[in-house]
Amino acid sequence: MELIYNVFQTLLNAGPTVLLPLIILGVGLVFGVKPAKAFRSGLTVGIGFAGIKLVINLLSGSLGPAAKAMVERWGFSLDVLDVGWGTIAAVTWASPIIPILIFAIL
């Protein structure tokens, strides 16, 4: 049981950018997709997910100070910077319960 726990903990510590392609690869293999195509699909999803995270980090780093300056200049009361659905997707796939849910759904 300790070994299984360590394997899952290692996968979770790798983060969603590594875990999501592995899940896509596994789902593809379960549904009978050829291993090369399943690997390519997982890799494509992983690259897209990494790109989304990079854009969100860039936007939040750039828009944060701009929003703060706008609040100071015009006296708005803005407490939240909306970065869109990408951040929620990253948080969702980073959750430690995701591997259990994937197996439960399948």
Side-chain angles (χ1 to χ4, degrees):
M1 196 56 136
E2 182 87 19
L3 177 68
I4 294 172
Y5 175 78
N6 288 336
V7 167
F8 273 108
Q9 199 60 36
T10 302
L11 285 174
L12 291 175
N13 289 340
T17 309
V18 174
L19 191 58
L20 184 59
L22 291 176
I23 292 171
I24 296 297
L25 173 68
V27 169
L29 292 174
V30 166
F31 285 109
V33 176
K34 293 181 180 176
K37 190 171 184 178
F39 177 75
R40 191 173 350 129
S41 298
L43 191 62
T44 303
V45 168
I47 291 169
F49 196 69
I52 287 172
K53 284 179 60 175
L54 287 172
V55 168
I56 288 170
N57 288 340
L58 175 69
L59 285 176
S60 63
S62 299
L63 291 179
K68 189 179 285 188
M70 186 175 69
V71 166
E72 290 173 2
R73 180 177 176 146
W74 288 323
F76 291 150
S77 178
L78 303 175
D79 299 328
V80 178
L81 174 64
D82 182 13
V83 293
W85 64 269
T87 304
I88 299 302
V91 169
T92 301
W93 284 106
S95 174
I97 197 166
I98 289 299
I100 297 167
L101 288 176
I102 294 295
F103 289 121
I105 290 169
L106 290 177

